[in-house]
Amino acid sequence: MRRTGGLWDEVASFENLRRAAQRAARGKRRVAGVARFLADLEPELLALQRELRSGQWRPGSPTTFRIHDPKERTITAAPLRDRVVHHALIDVLEPVLERRMVDASFACRRGKGTHAALARARRLVRRHEWFLKLDIARCFDSLDHGVVLDCLARVVKDRPVLELARTIVATDRGVGLPIGSLTSQWFANLVLDRLDHFVLEDLRVGGYVRYMDDFVLFGDDRAALRRAHDAVARFVEHELRLRLKDRATILAPTREGLPFLGWRLYRGTTRLRPGNLRRIRARLRHRRWEHRTGQITETELAASVRSVAEHLRHGSTLALRRRLFEGGEP
């Protein structure tokens, strides 16, 4: 595929930075630092534009915190100025990267997402006898900056764009991207896009679906999937400098149910996994507590409930929804 150029002027344009600022501030306009930035938006963006065009822009100091959802993760929140730059870059790169990505990849992409990934996985469960479920070990923490930048250079030829990407990912270790950053999500997706093409074009498996670092191969021959596992492990290690998470590997008949994105997918039904149900109940309890204590409005509570209900409709959950919403189960 030919590399794309002529992107830098658009990345650093004032109008692109203005749109990026609106996206970066979405849902955070009441935060003091964000409000101040928006109050002086034009001079802030002009200063940012000068730094980008002169090559002097450098990332600020991020905020880090830990979450448990379901496993412990360290989330890195970049300052608003950095998030504006991230959006400005990705908003221009997205259509370029999107053109090379396969239909079987569902994370971070418009019109895709978890529910579309589940729908594809359900179709493949019904169509094939076996599945091979794989995961990348500590994917974001292990991404090699050289691999990330090489993958980007395969599709983009603008030197200033590549230098900006190098500045964004740079750390002393040369390895690892922060979880929670828009650029990290897209750069990880771009690296794993090489895996997608390898599985579909070289291994030619019967079926395939990937949501970020969680992916599944399907087929009707158990031995063939075992060989595919070995080939994928070699490719991931030698070409991407990553490794598979051995304890997450599952090779099993589809009739036993595929665990995927918080659900277990059978040929005739889709069940919510227990851990996912516990998190949903805890989230609902917390939102109801926030409403009782006046921290959120009734409209905000209703929006949260609708979001959970819509998510549950993607599985066989009628009785569960009745318990959760009609009976007021906590």
Side-chain angles (χ1 to χ4, degrees):
M1 180 180 288
R2 294 179 60 186
R3 296 192 302 159
T4 301
L7 302 175
W8 177 245
D9 286 345
E10 185 177 358
V11 170
S13 72
F14 183 86
E15 185 57 30
N16 186 48
L17 290 172
R18 187 192 64 78
R19 289 193 300 267
Q22 297 300 323
R23 291 190 176 95
R26 192 173 295 160
K28 301 179 176 66
R29 291 174 178 271
R30 296 181 182 177
V31 177
V34 175
R36 285 195 300 271
F37 186 94
L38 295 178
D40 295 319
L41 185 60
E42 184 171 341
E44 288 280 7
L45 294 183
L46 287 172
L48 193 54
Q49 184 183 51
R50 286 194 297 271
E51 291 175 30
L52 288 170
R53 287 179 170 175
S54 66
Q56 294 178 336
W57 176 82
R58 294 294 181 271
S61 300
T63 301
T64 61
F65 55 94
R66 303 185 80 79
I67 64 169
H68 300 264
D69 188 27
K71 59 187 177 183
E72 187 175 77
R73 299 175 186 270
T74 299
I75 304 298
T76 301
L80 179 62
R81 286 183 103 249
D82 292 11
R83 297 201 305 274
V84 173
V85 173
H86 296 172
H87 277 277
L89 177 62
I90 295 302
D91 287 353
V92 175
L93 283 181
E94 181 177 351
V96 176
L97 304 182
E98 180 68 32
R99 283 197 293 271
R100 69 157 288 116
M101 290 185 174
V102 303
D103 287 341
S105 164
F106 287 86
C108 306
R109 301 173 65 189
R110 298 176 195 268
K112 297 279 191 174
T114 56
H115 296 147
L118 286 168
R120 180 183 179 93
R122 268 195 296 264
R123 291 193 296 272
L124 293 170
V125 162
R126 293 166 185 155
R127 192 179 302 164
H128 296 284
E129 296 294 327
W130 291 85
F131 70 82
L132 172 64
K133 185 176 184 297
L134 300 169
D135 196 350
I136 302 293
R138 303 179 72 246
C139 181
F140 283 88
D141 289 341
S142 303
L143 281 164
D144 185 281
H145 297 170
V147 172
V148 171
L149 295 170
D150 175 69
C151 288
L152 188 58
R154 289 168 180 252
V155 293
V156 173
K157 60 183 179 183
D158 281 42
R159 185 174 297 277
V161 171
L162 296 174
E163 285 302 317
L164 177 58
R166 186 185 305 277
T167 299
I168 289 172
V169 304
T171 65
D172 292 337
R173 294 190 305 129
V175 175
L177 298 182
I179 298 174
S181 165
L182 176 67
T183 49
S184 295
Q185 294 172 23
W186 272 96
F187 292 160
N189 221 13
L190 178 62
V191 170
L192 295 177
D193 173 72
R194 288 189 59 196
L195 171 65
D196 299 339
H197 285 274
F198 173 72
V199 170
L200 293 171
E201 296 163 12
D202 291 42
L203 300 185
R204 297 181 178 272
V205 297
Y208 178 68
V209 60
R210 179 176 67 81
Y211 190 89
M212 197 49 76
D213 57 342
D214 195 356
F215 57 105
V216 191
L217 287 66
F218 295 85
D220 299 317
D221 184 334
R222 184 171 183 267
L225 285 179
R226 278 191 176 277
R227 292 192 295 273
H229 169 272
D230 296 341
V232 167
R234 287 193 298 271
F235 181 87
V236 165
E237 182 178 355
H238 297 150
E239 298 296 327
L240 307 183
R241 300 180 196 169
L242 298 168
R243 62 182 180 83
L244 297 180
K245 187 189 298 182
D246 291 336
R247 61 184 176 82
T249 298
I250 305 173
L251 175 58
T254 52
R255 67 175 181 272
E256 293 183 3
L258 164 66
F260 189 57
L261 299 181
W263 299 82
R264 186 171 287 274
L265 312 181
Y266 298 91
R267 290 182 175 178
T269 189
T270 301
R271 301 292 185 192
L272 193 67
R273 298 182 71 188
N276 202 11
L277 176 57
R278 285 193 296 272
R279 287 191 293 278
I280 285 173
R281 282 177 168 152
R283 191 176 306 134
L284 285 174
R285 283 196 299 270
H286 182 69
R287 294 301 275 174
R288 287 167 176 156
W289 173 81
E290 287 181 319
H291 178 248
R292 286 195 306 273
T293 57
Q295 298 180 56
I296 62 172
T297 65
E298 188 167 347
T299 300
E300 290 171 318
L301 173 63
S304 295
V305 171
R306 281 196 302 272
S307 175
V308 171
E310 183 58 35
H311 176 66
L312 293 176
R313 285 192 184 97
H314 288 269
S316 309
T317 61
L318 180 58
L320 172 62
R321 279 181 279 137
R322 284 174 175 167
R323 291 199 308 271
L324 285 176
F325 305 124
E326 295 177 14
E329 178 182 323

